[in-house]
Amino acid sequence: MQFQKWILGSRSPRRRELLMQLVPESAIEVVPPLNPEEAGFEGLHDLASIKERLAEICLDKNEDVFAQSSNGDLRQVLLLTSDTIVVVERQPGHFVVLGQPPTGSGWEQAVRDWFENDFAGKTHRVITGLCIRSSTGIQTEFCETLVTFHERSHVLKHLDWYLSTGESRGKAGGYAVQGAGSIFVKRIEGSLTNVVGLPLENLLPLVR
């Protein structure tokens, strides 16, 4: 392993679990960003601008976590931050980023709208931005996966039940592919772990 210690700048237990598939648990230190606020994607409707904003979010998280480091010594240390978004194409060339459902009582209707209008019988993108900092510098990269849902009749048949599980809450796009949300997925093109929240394919070269 190239790095003796990995600092994971994330509040997500799923990302930690995924990273543990590549790196021993003893080598991972979780240091969540102190600032919970993130820039949004409002007004951004082309992929280039969306990815640029995604890179900014990942870098901001990385700077936040790096500032918490006691001495800034990154010898044999890798600092990793990331962010995963769900992107739908509502009109040709017009993209919209779906965040997490609202925290209040309107979350079910928001998820229902996404499933009926954006997901059912269609393909959407899941994009993760990664910001990797080590003693050699900082690099940002992306992983993009195409997710296709089953036809509309299948989605509508199971949607009420899925909403009743509450799994949608706190999930980008309102579903968890590693959970019950998998029943809606017809095809995945690209990295599965990217859809869960951390593309292991991108990180594998760093541990070999």
Side-chain angles (χ1 to χ4, degrees):
M1 188 174 64
Q2 298 180 22
F3 300 96
Q4 296 179 359
K5 179 179 177 183
W6 288 57
I7 300 175
L8 177 62
S10 175
R11 294 179 173 84
S12 168
R14 293 182 301 279
R15 289 197 177 105
R16 179 177 177 272
E17 291 167 2
L18 285 168
L19 186 57
M20 284 170 55
Q21 296 182 28
L22 296 182
V23 180
E25 182 178 6
S26 59
I28 301 172
E29 179 183 357
V30 177
V31 182
L34 291 175
N35 184 6
E37 299 298 323
E38 296 179 3
F41 294 87
E42 295 79 8
L44 303 180
H45 300 294
D46 64 276
L47 286 178
S49 297
I50 289 171
K51 286 185 175 181
E52 183 178 350
R53 178 61 53 81
L54 182 59
E56 292 173 357
I57 292 172
C58 296
L59 179 58
D60 286 346
K61 289 182 178 181
N62 205 285
E63 296 285 1
D64 182 318
V65 175
F66 181 65
Q68 298 180 54
S69 175
S70 58
N71 56 17
D73 185 358
L74 291 179
R75 285 176 294 181
Q76 298 298 307
V77 175
L78 184 145
L79 196 166
L80 171 67
T81 50
S82 66
D83 197 62
T84 301
I85 58 174
V86 174
V87 184
V88 299
E89 189 173 10
R90 290 185 172 165
Q91 298 174 13
H94 184 89
F95 298 91
V96 175
V97 176
L98 303 183
Q100 297 180 5
T103 56
S105 59
W107 73 267
E108 290 188 49
Q109 187 58 51
V111 175
R112 184 180 298 277
D113 289 344
W114 294 344
F115 272 63
E116 293 182 357
N117 301 317
D118 294 316
F119 293 155
K122 299 178 181 179
T123 299
H124 61 271
R125 290 170 167 83
V126 178
I127 306 174
T128 295
L130 297 167
C131 186
I132 300 165
R133 182 192 297 254
S134 67
S135 59
T136 60
I138 304 173
Q139 66 185 73
T140 302
E141 55 189 72
F142 302 96
C143 181
E144 182 172 331
T145 302
L146 299 179
V147 180
T148 302
F149 269 33
H150 284 290
E151 63 278 359
R152 185 176 182 83
S153 59
H154 176 88
V155 171
L156 296 183
K157 179 180 178 180
H158 300 290
L159 184 54
D160 284 340
W161 167 80
Y162 185 61
L163 291 173
S164 74
T165 70
E167 184 179 80
S168 299
R169 306 182 79 166
K171 306 293 192 305
Y175 74 94
V177 74
Q178 73 275 20
S182 62
I183 67 169
F184 298 105
V185 177
K186 180 179 182 179
R187 183 173 66 251
I188 290 178
E189 300 170 73
S191 169
L192 170 61
T193 56
N194 176 48
V195 186
V196 180
L198 192 67
L200 298 186
E201 293 88 339
N202 289 59
L203 300 177
L204 185 59
L206 299 172
V207 300
R208 297 294 296 272

